[in-house]
């Protein structure tokens, strides 16, 4: 009888991927990023393990929302105090802090537990094209999906 392979935390090397968010729909972009952060593109995917893959998002200010979402969709946050709910339309959120819009979309697609919080730390979002992670030699995110389709 063969045993099922289960990766262990810290096993294997995490890769760095980069994605250009310009003119990409926010939800579809977030889904692909969450897929890579979770490690589902890897042949050794294990549900309870952080595989260590990092994703860098550049040009977050150029992300697109389809339909009337710019005016109708709201970003909510709560201060923790009674009556502390704040609602901001996505048009204003994208104008002031586009990084937060991308982070919020990706975070909503990750597990709501310790693993999800740890995976979220592997996401780096930048407004423009510059980022300080050149030394990690990031690959385009499409490379992650080519690997999984070849298997």
């Amino acid at each position: 009888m063969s045993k099922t392979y289960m990766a262990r935390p810290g096993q294997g090397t995490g890769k760095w991927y980069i994605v250009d968010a310009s003119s990409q729909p926010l939800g579809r972009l977030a889904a692909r990023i969450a897929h890579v952060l979770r490690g589902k593109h890897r042949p050794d995917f294990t549900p309870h393990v952080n595989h260590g893959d990092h994703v860098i998002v550049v040009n977050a200010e150029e992300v697109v929302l389809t339909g009337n979402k710019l005016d109708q969709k709201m970003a909510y946050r709560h201060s923790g105090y009674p009556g502390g709910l704040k609602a901001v339309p996505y048009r204003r959120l994208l104008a002031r802090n586009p990084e937060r819009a991308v982070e919020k979309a990706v975070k909503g697609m990750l597990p709501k537990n310790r693993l999800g919080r740890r995976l979220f730390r592997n996401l780096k979002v930048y407004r423009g094209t510059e980022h300080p992670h050149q030394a990690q030699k990031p690959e385009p995110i499409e490379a992650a999906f080519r690997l999984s389709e070849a298997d």
Side-chain angles (χ1 to χ4, degrees):
M1 178 181 260
S2 65
K3 292 186 176 181
T4 302
Y5 174 77
M6 299 293 268
R8 293 191 174 142
Q11 197 174 13
T13 57
K15 287 189 168 184
W16 285 73
Y17 297 99
I18 189 165
V19 60
D20 186 3
S22 52
S23 70
Q24 291 198 40
L26 179 61
R28 289 173 189 254
L29 176 72
R32 294 188 87 179
I33 293 169
H35 187 88
V36 172
L37 284 174
R38 187 85 200 277
K40 288 191 162 194
H41 64 288
R42 298 168 61 112
D44 61 343
F45 169 69
T46 307
H48 63 277
V49 172
N50 176 5
H51 292 283
D53 290 342
H54 291 72
V55 177
I56 304 162
V57 181
V58 293
N59 292 326
E61 62 191 358
E62 297 177 25
V63 76
V64 176
L65 287 170
T66 59
N68 294 325
K69 291 187 201 121
L70 272 176
D71 297 313
Q72 293 177 355
K73 185 174 174 68
M74 303 294 253
Y76 296 99
R77 65 184 195 276
H78 198 284
S79 67
Y81 290 96
L85 184 67
K86 306 280 185 188
V88 178
Y90 262 76
R91 183 179 298 279
R92 193 176 332 152
L93 182 66
L94 286 173
R96 292 184 182 174
N97 200 342
E99 300 94 339
R100 186 169 294 154
V102 174
E103 289 171 355
K104 189 172 174 56
V106 173
K107 191 171 190 174
M109 296 183 185
L110 292 174
K112 278 51 169 191
N113 54 27
R114 282 184 284 182
L115 176 63
R117 291 187 293 273
R118 182 66 188 98
L119 291 171
F120 184 67
R121 290 187 223 159
N122 295 347
L123 175 67
K124 316 290 183 203
V125 184
Y126 298 98
R127 180 182 295 248
T129 57
E130 299 298 316
H131 65 86
H133 306 287
Q134 296 296 342
Q136 282 72 31
K137 298 185 180 81
E139 303 174 16
I141 201 164
E142 287 78 25
F145 291 97
R146 276 198 302 267
L147 285 174
S148 63
E149 291 165 3
D151 292 333

